[in-house]
Amino acid sequence: MEIECSIEKALNVIGGKWSFLVLRELFEGTKRFGQLQKAISKVSPKALTDTLRHLEDHNVLIRNVYPTVPVTVEYTLTEKGQALHKIIKEMKKWGAYWG
């Protein structure tokens, strides 16, 4: 029987490197795709879409679609996503000190 590590579970939920930057932006509040792409300048549209889908699949964020022309899509953190704020802040401090 294999016991899954809690850190491994957390990393699986968070996903790849772009997730941390998406989370950083969404901690400030609800954002649209274009706002996220502008804030995370090096992310490709495909990588951003994949990251947002991954985080939505893991209930870290909610994707709200509004029937406007063109369609408006906004991303907001869930309670589960907000719970990552403290961890990400600590990683930021660590990166500032040791990076």
Side-chain angles (χ1 to χ4, degrees), residues 8-53:
E8 200 175 329
K9 285 182 186 178
L11 289 174
N12 184 43
V13 168
I14 293 169
K17 69 175 183 177
W18 298 117
S19 295
F20 291 96
L21 300 177
V22 168
L23 288 167
R24 178 194 68 195
E25 294 306 313
L26 293 179
F27 288 139
E28 295 174 9
T30 298
K31 297 257 171 44
R32 293 182 183 172
F33 187 90
Q35 292 173 302
L36 290 169
Q37 194 169 21
K38 193 180 286 185
I40 308 167
S41 58
K42 292 181 180 158
V43 69
S44 70
K46 184 189 181 318
L48 182 54
T49 298
D50 291 348
T51 299
L52 291 166
R53 281 193 186 131

Side-chain angles (χ1 to χ4, degrees), residues 7-98:
I7 292 172
E8 200 175 329
K9 285 182 186 178
L11 289 174
N12 184 43
V13 168
I14 293 169
K17 69 175 183 177
W18 298 117
S19 295
F20 291 96
L21 300 177
V22 168
L23 288 167
R24 178 194 68 195
E25 294 306 313
L26 293 179
F27 288 139
E28 295 174 9
T30 298
K31 297 257 171 44
R32 293 182 183 172
F33 187 90
Q35 292 173 302
L36 290 169
Q37 194 169 21
K38 193 180 286 185
I40 308 167
S41 58
K42 292 181 180 158
V43 69
S44 70
K46 184 189 181 318
L48 182 54
T49 298
D50 291 348
T51 299
L52 291 166
R53 281 193 186 131
H54 174 86
L55 292 171
E56 183 182 14
D57 290 345
H58 286 85
N59 303 311
V60 173
L61 59 79
I62 297 169
R63 180 178 183 264
N64 293 306
V65 181
Y66 300 97
T68 55
V69 179
V71 172
T72 302
V73 180
E74 293 182 336
Y75 299 92
T76 307
L77 290 176
T78 61
E79 184 181 351
K80 182 177 181 179
Q82 287 290 350
L84 291 165
H85 199 186
K86 188 175 179 183
I87 297 164
I88 304 294
K89 274 172 69 172
E90 288 302 317
M91 290 177 73
K92 186 177 178 181
K93 286 182 197 172
W94 187 91
Y97 187 82
W98 294 103

